[in-house]
């Protein structure tokens, strides 16, 4: 058995127990069956050392996050994640690293009942490419293009934590030890909002996950739906101890433009406010109503009743 | 619009004309519908600069080949390729390179009627990761594990051309100018055998594509089917002018262990010999019967009626 084959065999091949997976890793391709009455939902994300994670990051965290960011795309579509493939370029066949990476990857896969059905490993600068596949009942997917005028704009969870964690690591921001723990956890082990996305299928008009930053991602919805928006900084949930620091530019930027949060930003009709708040209670997840879509072409952010000058829409990999 | 978004928009987003593709590039994920009575067939392959292609290779060829090697996995399953996602790490946003790369990628996509439904571009050392999805009628896929004792072993096309092209580039092998053209074409623009794979669904027991080298890949079939094999070097089609050079170790190695051919190696019952030769005529593609599966645990290669000592089963990315 070749070393490459044995690496896949040793760390990534597991017995498939999923009824819709007819053939997993080990042939030229996998065979799956999509549930009747469902569309297959497909997305791909690539993570590169030094860009998406630090070279010295924990292998477990890299494994978790490389899958979690893809799961988040399923959540944003209101889809149920089901299957994933993993292509991995490694500078060397470091078995200790691979073992930890695989543990992190499968911890995330198990948390969301995802079967790893295909893989490729090769020599090269560290690069992790995941393709995720999920299912959604035909016509029920949450699209960026379906926001309507006068929709409430909502966001889940607490924004800016991952960005603050990053700024803390870069020694640009001071945090209490409790804040450090929360922010670094958010940065390294994002929790995709799958249950929220599934529940929003019947409540929201449009949805996106906050990967590049709230304003940049909301802007994708607005462009696709040909709308503008007014949002209010004070209404966005942040860390409790941050409320009195909202005037700090670094904090504003973390909340409005910090990437890597993997919360969901969605728009919904006003009539669904109570149902959405009830959903927030049921999931134990804050859902903040932060503004309204408008017919104006612009995205305005207000702080203390004044428009905020926006100069950083988010993170771009070629900016 | 962000630079990253505009790169995808400019070079990779095309109108979707496929009836089973409900949503292509531009949202958090794509939406597709698998044909009734079919399984989805999924495979992923990663190509890295300096490993799978030379740093100075033509961008068009890199684009073509990065998709073609994935299409070949569909051919090996007897599946019809339908959809692909592309994740791309680039050292810089070189638009001329991207334009050529996209042209090569789409030339291959168009040749096989494949819709590009998802993508991710990021900064990083050049890395191309493609996931391909196809369809096969339920239960009709060609598996590595289904070879039977006494099956004929067949291989399509002319083996060793890509390896000879590579040896020529490395100045380890002399070739006539005609041979150069053939071999470099095989190396840079492999032609996946989709029509052959589809036709073999009803004729062959098992199949694999020759990506790592004939012996290594045939060995995957043998291991999965718990069989051995006897094969005969003289029966493997090579370049016409190579016949008198079959005693040269470099030539033997190119034919038996040269990777990158993307021909199909398959096993079929003896009763299908005539039908397979008729298929060869119909496709205008040589199909060579090169040996037989056995119950012995070993893979033997004979040359001039003597067993050949095998010391190189193929290319391994961590060898």
């Amino acid at each position: 058995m070749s070393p490459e084959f044995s690496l896949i065999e040793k760390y990534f091949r597991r017995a498939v127990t999923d009824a819709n997976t007819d053939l997993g890793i080990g042939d030229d391709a996998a065979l799956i069956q999509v549930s009747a009455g469902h569309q297959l939902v497909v997305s791909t994300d690539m993570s590169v050392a030094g860009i998406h994670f630090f070279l010295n990051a924990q292998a477990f965290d890299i494994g978790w996050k490389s899958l979690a960011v893809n799961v988040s795309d399923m959540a944003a579509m209101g889809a149920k994640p089901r299957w994933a493939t993993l292509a991995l370029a490694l500078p060397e066949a470091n078995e200790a690293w691979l073992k930890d990476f695989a543990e992190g990857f499968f911890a995330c896969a198990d948390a969301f009942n995802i079967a790893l059905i295909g893989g490729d490993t090769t020599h090269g600068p560290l690069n992790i490419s995941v393709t995720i596949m999920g299912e959604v009942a035909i016509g029920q997917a949450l699209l960026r293009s379906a926001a309507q005028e006068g929709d409430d704009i909502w966001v889940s969870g607490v924004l800016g934590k991952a960005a603050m964690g990053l700024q803390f690591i870069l020694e640009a921001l001071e945090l209490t030890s409790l804040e450090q723990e929360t922010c670094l956890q958010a940065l390294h082990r994002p929790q995709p909002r799958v249950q929220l996305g599934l529940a929003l299928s019947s409540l929201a008009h449009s949805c996106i996950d906050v990967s590049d930053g709230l304003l940049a991602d909301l802007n994708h919805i607005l462009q696709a739906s040909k709308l503008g928006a007014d949002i209010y900084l004070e209404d966005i949930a942040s860390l409790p101890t941050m409320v009195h620091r909202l005037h700090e530019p670094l904090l504003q930027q973390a909340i409005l433009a910090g990437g890597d949060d993997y919360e969901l930003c969605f728009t919904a009709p006003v009539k669904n406010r109570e149902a959405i708040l009830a959903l927030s209670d049921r999931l134990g997840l804050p859902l903040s109503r932060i503004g309204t879509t408008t017919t104006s072409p612009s995205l305005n952010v207000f702080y203390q009743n004044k428009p905020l000058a926006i100069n950083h829409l988010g993170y771009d990999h070629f900016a």
Side-chain angles (χ1 to χ4, degrees), chain A:
Chain A
M1 192 178 289
S2 70
E4 180 188 5
F5 194 68
S6 68
L7 284 181
I8 294 176
E9 188 80 16
K10 187 165 177 183
Y11 293 109
F12 296 111
R13 189 165 171 176
R14 304 201 303 184
V16 167
T17 56
D18 180 281
N20 286 41
T21 305
D22 299 321
L23 185 68
I25 289 177
D27 210 302
D28 292 294
L31 296 171
I32 62 180
Q33 292 196 43
V34 177
S35 303
H38 285 69
Q39 289 162 303
L40 189 78
V41 190
V42 184
S43 181
T44 193
D45 261 303
M46 181 175 260
S47 304
V48 177
I51 306 281
H52 299 89
F53 51 86
F54 291 104
L55 280 165
N56 63 355
Q58 299 290 319
F60 185 100
D61 290 341
I62 299 172
W64 172 282
K65 191 168 176 177
S66 65
L67 182 56
V69 302
N70 281 276
V71 175
S72 182
D73 284 317
M74 296 293 100
M77 298 295 284
K80 186 175 162 58
R82 295 293 306 268
W83 304 280
T85 64
L86 166 68
L88 189 58
L90 295 170
E92 54 180 350
N94 178 335
E95 297 221 13
W97 190 94
L98 261 178
K99 180 173 173 293
D100 289 347
F101 174 87
E103 280 180 10
F105 187 91
F106 280 120
C108 185
D110 291 344
F112 296 97
N113 284 310
I114 295 164
L116 179 67
I117 57 167
D120 188 23
T121 57
T122 183
H123 191 82
L126 185 55
N127 182 307
I128 302 147
S129 180
V130 173
T131 298
I132 193 156
M133 286 150 280
E135 295 181 319
V136 69
I138 291 174
Q140 293 301 302
L142 291 167
L143 306 186
R144 296 179 182 180
S145 56
Q148 295 182 19
E149 180 195 345
D151 272 359
D152 288 329
I153 300 170
W154 298 79
V155 70
S156 67
V158 169
L159 284 195
K161 287 192 295 187
M164 288 190 266
L166 182 61
Q167 293 304 321
F168 171 76
I169 291 174
L170 299 173
E171 299 183 357
L173 184 72
E174 287 188 23
L175 294 174
T176 66
S177 61
L178 188 65
E179 288 164 350
Q180 286 172 34
E181 195 181 318
T182 307
C183 291
L184 294 176
Q185 179 79 7
L187 181 64
H188 297 313
R189 306 249 182 111
Q191 302 293 323
R193 303 304 187 188
V194 172
Q195 290 306 318
L196 175 62
L198 290 170
L200 287 177
S201 280
S202 55
L203 293 173
H205 281 148
S206 69
C207 187
I208 193 168
D209 68 323
V210 181
S211 56
D212 291 337
L214 175 65
L215 297 187
D217 290 314
L218 174 58
N219 209 39
H220 288 315
I221 287 183
L222 299 177
Q223 299 234 335
S225 300
K226 301 187 174 61
L227 291 169
D230 293 336
I231 68 170
Y232 302 89
L233 182 60
E234 292 97 327
D235 293 336
I236 305 172
S238 184
L239 290 181
T241 56
M242 293 297 161
V243 175
H244 68 282
R245 293 175 63 178
L246 268 186
H247 59 280
E248 294 179 27
L250 198 62
L251 266 284
Q252 292 182 358
Q253 189 168 310
I255 293 167
L256 294 171
D260 262 8
D261 281 320
Y262 302 101
E263 297 294 347
L264 297 185
C265 174
F266 56 98
T267 79
V270 172
K271 69 178 169 64
N272 286 346
R273 280 183 192 174
E274 283 190 27
I276 289 169
L277 291 175
L279 176 63
S280 170
D281 278 349
R282 180 161 72 80
L283 297 177
L285 177 68
L287 298 176
S288 309
R289 184 159 56 82
I290 65 169
T292 310
T293 60
T294 67
T295 51
S296 125
S298 59
L299 167 51
N300 306 305
V301 184
F302 295 92
Y303 174 54
Q304 295 179 333
N305 295 316
K306 287 185 211 124
L308 209 61
I310 298 168
N311 58 10
H312 193 286
L313 272 179
Y315 183 76
D316 186 280
H317 299 298
F318 285 104

